[in-house]
Amino acid sequence: MISNRKFTYKIALILLFVAAISFVSDEKFRVLATFIACSGAGLICYLSIKKSLAELKAEQMKAEKKHLSEMETAIKPIAKLLSERVQIIPVLTNQLNDVTQQTESAALDIGEKFMSIVQRARNQAKKASVAFGRFAGNGGSSSESLTDLSKKALSDVIESLREMTAVTRQTLNDMEIIMEDAGHIKKIVAEIEYIADQINLLALNAAIEAARAGEHGRGFAIVADEVRRLSDRSNTAADEIKKLITKVETDIKVIYSKTEKSATESSARSSKAEVVVEDALKKIDDIINETKIKLNEMGAETESLAKDISSIVISMQFQDITRQRIEHVVEPLVSFKAELEDITQKARSMSEKIHEWEGNSSAEWLEKMYTMESERKVLKEVLKNG
Amino acid sequence: MGKTVLIVDDSASMRQLVSFALRDAGYNVVDAINGKDAMNKLNGTKIEMVITDLNMPEMDGIEFIKQVRNNPGYKFTPIVMLTTESQESKKQEGKQAGASGWIVKPFTPEQLIDIVKKFVR
């Protein structure tokens, strides 16, 4: 503003000088003075413009420095903030990696536990099947089952009872035959008694005839007497046989009666036992069949459970999918960190350069940066012309 | 004696559950944590089928498939890719490397066993 006023004054003085010259009568002096006045005015204009340009440049430099300072002020906290934020990224990635590891570890643990449940359920079903097999005889074992042995034992008992009843019946039949034989013997004894009586009668007649024959019949009388005695002895023997046979007959009848009673009772018991045993065997069969059905159901349930658990274990693959998705988050984060570090570094570098610019003019800064004489020459030429 | 399947996956839980499903179906299982480990385990072992993940450290599934196909002993061994990638391009890349098929996670045990039965008879 001051320079503008001074410039106006100088121009006004020159115009006054030119006005004053116009009153000079000497033409040559007037032309010379006018030329000098014009040259002076031109010089004043040049110097004034140069000064104004310098002032303008200084103001521009000042504004530039102010702007740079503002930029530095703005960039510094951004660089600091970026630097701080960059430090957070490894924490985030480590957190995500830790979550992945923990999830994987948990998934493995759950998987193992589920597999163990399946294994145990199957083992239990297998054990139940083997135990049932030992009991019921379908466990694939070559040895006889408990129920088979029980059935056999019960069947043997029934068979023994049947055999005993049959033996008793046979005994009764045998006794009946003996009694029949005894009856025959009694008839034979009666025949013997009849014959002995007839012989006795014959011996008596022979003795009578021998007595009548006198001396000649004495020998015959002795024979007749002997025959009579034999007849008596036959009668006695037959009588004893008869008594014995009667006794045997009586005894056998008693035994027969007892045996018959026993046989009847035994037969009844045998029939009853047979019914009981058959009922027991039927019940055992029913229980076995029922247990078989239950066991098959249990096996099917176990297999179904195993399948369900297998599906659960397979569905644990969500963990792998989650892991990969987290990895897809971590990978860009790592890349992002590197980029942010680069940006931070650039911001710092920019801030440092701005700081340098603040201390020096652009020309000084360029001069400092240039390393070749040719570069400096171009700079000087531009500055000189510009 | 059951057929042997090689499982290659860097995820322990995936190896565990695939092994579980296959063993449950009566197969023998050999597992490896990446392609490199799998190549070491393949060496001379009788393997009827390979199931491999694609995204693995050290040696990924595609490189592993290429190396398996370069081994004359396993030139025709079925290789199924087990991956979350459902993109056609990834499948094509695997097929070009020599994979026989793929199964996309998540899968059911039946799907897994069906595909194994398809390749191992």
Side-chain angles (χ1 to χ4, degrees), chain A residues 111-349:
Chain A
E112 270 175 26
K113 284 194 168 105
F114 274 131
M115 284 188 269
S116 169
I117 290 169
V118 171
Q119 203 56 49
R120 289 206 316 259
R122 281 186 175 148
N123 284 346
Q124 218 156 5
K126 202 175 170 184
K127 276 181 188 172
S129 180
V130 169
F132 177 75
R134 280 183 191 147
F135 175 73
N138 63 346
S141 169
S142 56
S143 60
E144 279 183 300
S145 71
L146 189 66
T147 42
D148 285 343
L149 289 170
S150 304
K151 275 182 180 177
K152 195 169 181 295
L154 290 170
S155 299
D156 287 349
V157 168
I158 288 173
E159 196 54 40
S160 297
L161 286 170
R162 281 175 183 159
E163 280 174 9
M164 270 174 66
T165 307
V167 168
T168 310
R169 291 276 169 219
Q170 187 59 48
T171 307
L172 286 172
N173 287 339
D174 291 345
M175 282 180 183
E176 280 168 8
I177 291 165
I178 290 167
M179 281 196 291
E180 273 178 25
D181 289 345
H184 290 143
I185 291 167
K186 276 169 87 175
K187 279 180 184 169
I188 292 164
V189 169
E191 193 67 23
I192 290 167
E193 277 178 337
Y194 173 76
I195 292 165
D197 284 345
Q198 291 300 314
I199 290 169
N200 195 21
L201 193 62
L202 280 171
L204 189 64
N205 288 330
I208 292 166
E209 289 299 324
R212 241 199 294 171
E215 194 62 29
H216 295 287
R218 187 168 292 175
F220 194 71
I222 292 166
V223 172
D225 191 43
E226 199 59 36
V227 168
R228 193 178 54 81
R229 265 209 306 273
L230 281 171
S231 165
D232 285 345
R233 278 180 67 184
S234 294
N235 254 335
T236 306
D239 197 41
E240 280 178 9
I241 289 166
K242 199 177 164 185
K243 280 176 185 172
L244 278 171
I245 287 295
T246 305
K247 190 176 180 300
V248 166
E249 209 174 29
T250 308
D251 288 347
I252 283 173
K253 273 181 180 168
V254 169
I255 293 166
Y256 182 88
S257 175
K258 282 180 182 174
T259 307
E260 193 178 31
K261 194 183 171 192
S262 168
T264 309
E265 284 173 2
S266 177
S267 178
R269 272 202 300 273
S270 176
S271 300
K272 199 176 170 186
E274 210 169 323
V275 170
V276 170
V277 166
E278 273 175 6
D279 188 46
L281 289 176
K282 193 181 173 298
K283 276 180 183 167
I284 288 171
D285 279 342
D286 288 347
I287 289 167
I288 286 170
N289 288 333
E290 203 177 322
T291 312
K292 262 184 196 169
I293 291 165
K294 295 270 181 206
L295 207 65
N296 286 338
E297 283 174 2
M298 199 172 100
E301 282 290 319
T302 306
E303 211 38 59
S304 170
L305 176 79
K307 274 191 177 173
D308 287 349
I309 291 175
S310 299
S311 299
I312 293 169
V313 172
I314 289 297
S315 69
M316 299 291 285
Q317 63 195 287
F318 83 88
Q319 189 279 324
D320 182 59
I321 292 162
T322 312
R323 182 183 68 91
Q324 288 200 28
R325 289 187 71 171
I326 290 174
E327 276 174 6
H328 294 158
V329 174
V330 171
E331 281 165 23
L333 270 177
V334 171
S335 169
F336 189 43
K337 179 183 174 274
E339 284 169 12
L340 277 179
E341 277 174 344
D342 189 43
I343 291 167
T344 309
Q345 191 53 43
K346 280 177 180 164
R348 275 186 187 142
S349 174

Side-chain angles (χ1 to χ4, degrees), chain A residues 98-116:
Chain A
D98 191 49
V99 166
T100 308
Q101 280 174 6
Q102 282 188 11
T103 317
E104 181 154 23
S105 173
L108 274 173
D109 192 39
I110 292 166
E112 270 175 26
K113 284 194 168 105
F114 274 131
M115 284 188 269
S116 169

Side-chain angles (χ1 to χ4, degrees), chain A residues 1-12 44 51:
Chain A
M1 199 70 173
I2 293 165
S3 60
N4 284 345
R5 202 179 292 161
K6 279 182 180 176
F7 175 72
T8 311
Y9 290 153
K10 282 172 186 173
I11 294 298
I44 287 165
K51 196 177 176 185

